[in-house]
């Protein structure tokens, strides 16, 4: 299918830097002639919506990250209809969002709809294409913490507009190509999940039974853990920790504090298999670091997800020392007198840790964790020399599994890069897809493909925080043993 794509026979200069040349028969229209702003309020009974960078505008209950809206003044929120577009507070980073649901959303957002109803499919692809998103930086107003898109300026910008039949061909082609790519990505993600389960079994066996198959066992004292080697200790995280601290809340850390390239904050989406993955978007400037000095991370601290996927955690290593515990995390400082830090993080990767935390977690709509629950997590501790031997065995048995996971993740990354480039080339007229689209088979509609988020996170803050939203006021003070 892709091999059959050819350039258009005749092109013209668009006069728009981010577009370059476009097909000669395409129009160039100002944004304000293609879109109409919707400012309708007074619909308090409509469902609450969230504008996300990877899922578009969806109902809040479908959105994974935690957002809590103060249930008052709902009549002041803006109405969004299915097929509308929304400029959110971070659209200049991820594009303009397409509404998949009808509902109400923050009054700080700009809502608009296509003047030609048949154009919404083409515009949805265009508004999330890489060239268009990069072009949005020209229309950003404010400095650093207060950046937003100036819609008055944006409305005067020019957009490419193919004839309606050609728009339909482009949408059909991109929908088909995107569906195939997502299916392949999903297959790779299923493979990764199976590999991770295999690695999980290796770790579980090593950190609960040890390496000596002839060792005697004793009751662990924890009913669901069963027996453990007789010479191992069973402690709780609270017994080996010196302090716990919950990350800063909304009254301490605001969306306006975030910048790109500052000191990183660690939220749940930055924790991956016991390691911390940096996201330059989720960081704060030196002035904010000074104000949040109580949340600084030290080498060998542990950070835990306090909501969502409980049990997700990571060890702070040399590179991350001096970074900050984020809003969605809990920092645990441990006494390592007889504990190998790398062993401890491996021991915390076993599935029953997450199951334990979920069992005792709090939260009406999604799991939520506090320090009291975290203190009770059982930790199985062999002598420190045996901890080192177990680490070596886990590394030896898991080497090939990690390599296979790495290769699968790399393939997913390359596919996503290819999809990004393909979308950009098609919506800007670099390839003619009309003939190919006409020959595509008719496929029944399917639910959104289970391809996970396109990036690490939906937002620089690790969560969508909208005007009018509040975060719960769980304990924020440090608790010391």
């Amino acid at each position: 299918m892709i091999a059959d794509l050819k350039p258009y026979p005749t092109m013209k200069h668009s006069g728009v830097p981010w577009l370059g040349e476009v097909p000669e028969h395409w129009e160039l229209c100002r944004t304000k002639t293609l879109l109409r702003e919707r400012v309708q309020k007074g619909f308090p009974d409509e469902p609450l919506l969230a504008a996300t960078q990877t899922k578009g505008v969806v109902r809040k209950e479908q959105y994974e990250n935690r957002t809590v809206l103060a249930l008052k003044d709902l009549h002041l929120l803006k109405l969004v209809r299915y097929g509308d577009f929304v400029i959110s507070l971070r659209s200049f980073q991820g594009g303009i969002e397409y509404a998949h649901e009808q509902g109400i959303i923050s009054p700080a957002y700009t809502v608009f709809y296509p003047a030609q109803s048949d154009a919404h499919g083409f515009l949805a692809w265009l508004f999330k294409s890489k060239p268009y998103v990069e072009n949005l930086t020209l229309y950003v107003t404010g400095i650093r913490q207060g950046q937003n898109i100036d819609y008055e300026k944006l409305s005067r910008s020019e957009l490419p507009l193919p004839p309606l039949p050609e728009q339909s061909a482009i949408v059909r082609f991109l929908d088909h190509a995107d569906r195939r790519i997502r299916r392949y990505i999903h297959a790779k993600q299923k493979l990764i999940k199976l590999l991770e389960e295999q690695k999980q079994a290796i770790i579980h066996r090593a950190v609960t039974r040890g390496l000596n198959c002839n060792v005697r066992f004793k009751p662990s004292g924890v009913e669901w853990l069963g027996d453990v080697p007789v010479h191992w200790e069973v402690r709780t995280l609270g017994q080996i920790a010196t302090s716990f601290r919950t990350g800063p809340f909304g009254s301490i850390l605001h969306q306006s504090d975030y910048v790109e390239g500052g000191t990183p904050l660690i939220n749940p989406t930055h924790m991956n298999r016991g390691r911390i993955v940096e996201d330059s978007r989720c960081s704060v400037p030196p002035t904010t670091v000074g104000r949040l000095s109580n949340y600084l991370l030290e080498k060998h601290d542990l950070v835990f997800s306090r909501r969502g996927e409980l049990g997700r955690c990571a060890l702070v290593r040399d590179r991350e020392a001096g970074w900050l515990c984020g809003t969605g995390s809990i920092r645990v400082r441990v006494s390592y007198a007889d504990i190998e830090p790398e062993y401890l993080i491996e021991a915390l990767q076993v599935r029953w840790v997450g199951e334990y935390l979920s069992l005792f977690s709090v939260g009406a709509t999604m799991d939520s964790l506090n320090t009291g629950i975290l203190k009770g997590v059982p930790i199985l501790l062999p002598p420190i020399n045996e901890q080192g031997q177990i680490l070596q065995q886990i590394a030896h048995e898991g080497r090939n599994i990690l390599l296979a996971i790495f290769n699968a993740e790399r393939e997913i990354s390359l596919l996503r890069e290819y999809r990004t480039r393909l979308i950009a080339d098609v919506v800007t007229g670099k390839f003619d897809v009309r003939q190919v689209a006409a020959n595509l088979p008719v496929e029944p509609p399917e639910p959104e493909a289970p391809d996970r988020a396109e990036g690490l996170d939906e937002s620089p803050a690790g969560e969508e925080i909208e005007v009018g939203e509040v975060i719960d006021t769980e304990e924020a003070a440090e608790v010391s043993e």
Side-chain angles (χ1 to χ4, degrees), residues 192-406:
I192 290 172
K193 184 177 180 180
L194 291 172
L195 291 168
E196 287 177 337
E197 289 177 356
Q198 187 178 350
K199 185 172 186 292
Q200 179 75 207
I202 292 171
I203 295 172
H204 183 273
R205 184 180 69 249
V207 302
T208 59
R209 312 296 286 179
L211 305 179
N212 185 355
C213 58
N214 297 317
V215 71
R216 291 187 298 115
F217 287 85
K218 66 178 181 181
S220 66
V222 181
E223 182 179 354
W224 46 273
L225 269 183
D227 294 341
V228 297
V230 69
H231 61 293
W232 287 22
E233 290 186 70
V234 181
R235 303 187 207 171
T236 63
L237 190 58
Q239 290 173 328
I240 66 173
T242 59
S243 67
F244 293 76
R245 176 173 284 281
T246 303
F249 293 94
S251 59
I252 305 172
L253 179 64
H254 304 279
Q255 185 62 37
S256 59
D257 288 315
Y258 289 90
V259 298
E260 187 165 345
T263 298
L265 287 98
I266 305 308
N267 283 310
T269 48
H270 307 132
M271 306 172 198
N272 185 25
R273 303 189 192 100
R275 293 189 171 272
I276 294 173
V277 181
E278 182 178 2
D279 178 6
S280 62
R281 302 171 302 162
C282 187
S283 60
V284 294
T287 52
T288 305
V289 175
R291 179 159 50 85
L292 300 178
S293 59
N294 288 336
Y295 302 94
L296 286 170
L297 298 171
E298 296 181 2
K299 183 179 179 181
H300 293 159
D301 280 350
L302 300 171
V303 280
F304 283 82
S305 168
R306 73 174 185 89
R307 57 177 179 263
E309 185 187 336
L310 300 187
R312 179 181 286 198
C313 58
L315 178 70
V316 177
R317 296 172 173 84
D318 285 319
R319 184 186 67 134
E320 299 94 28
W323 293 6
L324 291 161
C325 178
T327 300
S329 305
I330 296 176
R331 186 220 70 200
V332 181
R333 192 153 288 161
V334 175
S335 173
Y336 285 104
D338 56 352
I339 304 172
E340 173 66 46
E342 295 290 347
Y343 174 83
L344 181 58
I345 193 63
E346 289 288 4
L348 288 167
Q349 297 300 300
V350 291
R351 184 175 288 111
W352 57 255
V353 172
E355 292 172 349
Y356 171 90
L357 294 175
S358 295
L359 180 65
F360 292 99
S361 65
V362 295
T365 58
M366 66 186 300
D367 289 340
S368 183
L369 182 64
N370 61 44
T371 57
I373 298 170
L374 198 55
K375 287 181 180 181
V377 174
I379 306 292
L380 305 182
L381 290 176
I384 193 164
N385 65 318
E386 192 173 344
Q387 294 174 30
Q389 294 169 4
I390 290 173
L391 281 173
Q392 290 178 7
Q393 185 65 22
I394 290 174
H396 174 73
E397 292 190 40
R399 187 174 294 112
N400 289 336
I401 295 174
L402 289 175
L403 179 60
I405 291 174
F406 172 81

